[in-house]
C-alpha cells in the first residue's frame, strides 16, 4: 500500500468515526464543513484526493486538528514523527510543497509545517477556527505574508506571529526559493 493510499484510508476511517460520534449525517457534516456531500462520500470511501482546504474545513467542522485526520494512532506520552511519516499536503504549480511534520491532538492543537515556495507561487488559506494563531520563521528568501488584506514581507531569519482565523496567504514574489517553518495553534 502506498503512503497516499494509507493516508486516504486513515482519513476515511477517522472522518466516518468522528461524524458518527457527533451523530451527524453526511448532509449535516457537508453543510457544517461547506463541502459537497459527494466529496464526503468519496472521502469516507477512501476514494478521491481532497485538497488541503477541504481537509481543513472538514477537520474544523469536526472540531479536531488536521493531524487527527491524516495520522490516527493512539497518542503516547511522546509521539515521534519520523521523516517517512511527514505528509506533503500541498503542492504548488512550480514544485513548491507544504509538508505537515507533526501535530498534537485534541484541541487545543499545535501543528508544525515545513514549506517551500518556488518563485511566483502563492498558497491561499481559508480562515481557521476563531482564535487560531500562526507563527512563521523564514529560513531562506523573503516570504510575502498576506493577512486579512494586509501584506508584510518577512525576510530570511525573521519570524512573524499572526492571526490564522482570517483569510491569509504565503507567497514568493522573489527570484529564489522561499523556505519557512510554520506553527499553527488551533484553540
Amino acid at each position: 500500500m502506498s503512503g497516499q493510499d494509507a493516508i486516504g484510508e486513515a482519513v476515511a476511517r477517522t472522518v466516518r468515526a468522528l461524524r458518527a460520534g457527533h451523530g451527524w449525517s453526511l448532509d449535516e457534516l457537508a453543510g457544517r464543513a461547506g463541502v459537497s456531500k459527494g466529496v464526503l462520500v468519496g472521502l469516507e470511501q477512501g476514494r478521491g484526493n481532497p485538497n488541503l482546504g477541504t481537509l481543513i474545513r472538514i477537520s474544523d467542522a469536526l472540531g479536531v486538528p488536521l493531524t487527527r485526520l491524516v495520522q490516527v494512532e493512539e497518542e503516547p506520552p511522546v509521539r515521534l514523527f519520523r521523516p517517512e511519516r511527514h505528509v506533503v499536503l500541498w503542492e504548488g504549480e512550480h514544485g513548491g510543497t507544504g509538508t505537515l511534520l507533526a501535530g498534537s491532538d485534541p484541541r487545543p492543537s499545535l501543528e508544525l509545517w515545513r514549506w517551500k515556495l518556488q518563485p511566483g507561487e502563492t498558497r491561499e488559506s481559508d480562515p481557521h477556527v476563531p482564535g487560531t494563531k500562526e507563527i512563521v520563521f523564514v529560513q531562506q528568501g523573503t516570504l510575502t505574508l498576506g493577512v486579512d488584506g494586509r501584506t508584510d514581507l518577512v525576510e530570511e531569519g525573521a519570524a512573524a506571529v499572526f492571526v490564522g482565523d482570517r483569510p491569509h496567504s504565503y507567497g514568493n514574489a522573489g527570484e529564489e526559493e522561499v523556505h519557512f517553518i510554520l506553527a499553527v495553534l488551533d484553540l
Side-chain angles (χ1 to χ4, degrees):
M1 176 182 303
S2 77
Q4 290 296 332
D5 290 341
I7 292 167
E9 285 187 21
V11 169
R13 281 191 310 270
T14 303
V15 170
R16 276 193 313 267
L18 291 171
R19 181 176 59 79
H22 284 291
W24 295 344
S25 66
L26 283 166
D27 288 322
E28 187 166 359
L29 177 55
R32 288 175 181 261
V35 300
S36 73
K37 182 179 175 181
V39 165
L40 282 178
V41 168
L43 189 130
E44 287 194 5
Q45 293 177 349
R47 293 183 288 115
N49 187 14
N51 66 37
L52 178 57
T54 298
L55 290 174
I56 289 171
R57 285 192 297 278
I58 291 169
S59 68
D60 286 348
L62 290 167
V64 299
L66 177 61
T67 53
R68 175 84 183 268
L69 297 185
V70 297
Q71 297 169 337
V72 296
E73 299 167 358
E74 293 295 319
E75 188 166 0
V78 174
R79 290 174 60 195
L80 296 178
F81 294 84
R82 300 195 187 286
E84 62 272 11
R85 292 195 57 214
H86 299 171
V87 182
V88 175
L89 291 175
W90 178 82
E91 293 183 10
E93 58 191 38
H94 303 296
T97 56
T99 304
L100 180 61
L101 302 175
S104 65
D105 181 29
R107 280 198 172 106
S109 67
L110 180 63
E111 297 172 354
L112 183 64
W113 292 78
R114 179 181 63 226
W115 287 82
K116 175 178 73 172
L117 297 177
Q118 297 295 333
E121 287 184 326
T122 298
R123 161 67 175 126
E124 300 284 340
S125 181
D126 292 328
H128 302 296
V129 297
T132 299
K133 303 284 188 221
E134 299 193 22
I135 300 174
V136 62
F137 171 73
V138 178
Q139 297 173 297
Q140 176 183 324
T142 299
L143 175 68
T144 302
L145 178 64
V147 179
D148 203 20
R150 174 188 169 137
T151 302
D152 289 280
L153 298 179
V154 186
E155 297 177 345
E156 186 173 315
V161 178
F162 60 98
V163 294
D165 58 3
R166 298 178 192 165
H168 54 284
S169 63
Y170 321 101
N172 180 356
E175 302 280 326
E176 298 178 15
E177 288 183 353
V178 171
H179 294 248
F180 61 99
I181 299 295
L182 177 71
V184 180
L185 177 61
D186 189 355
L187 299 173

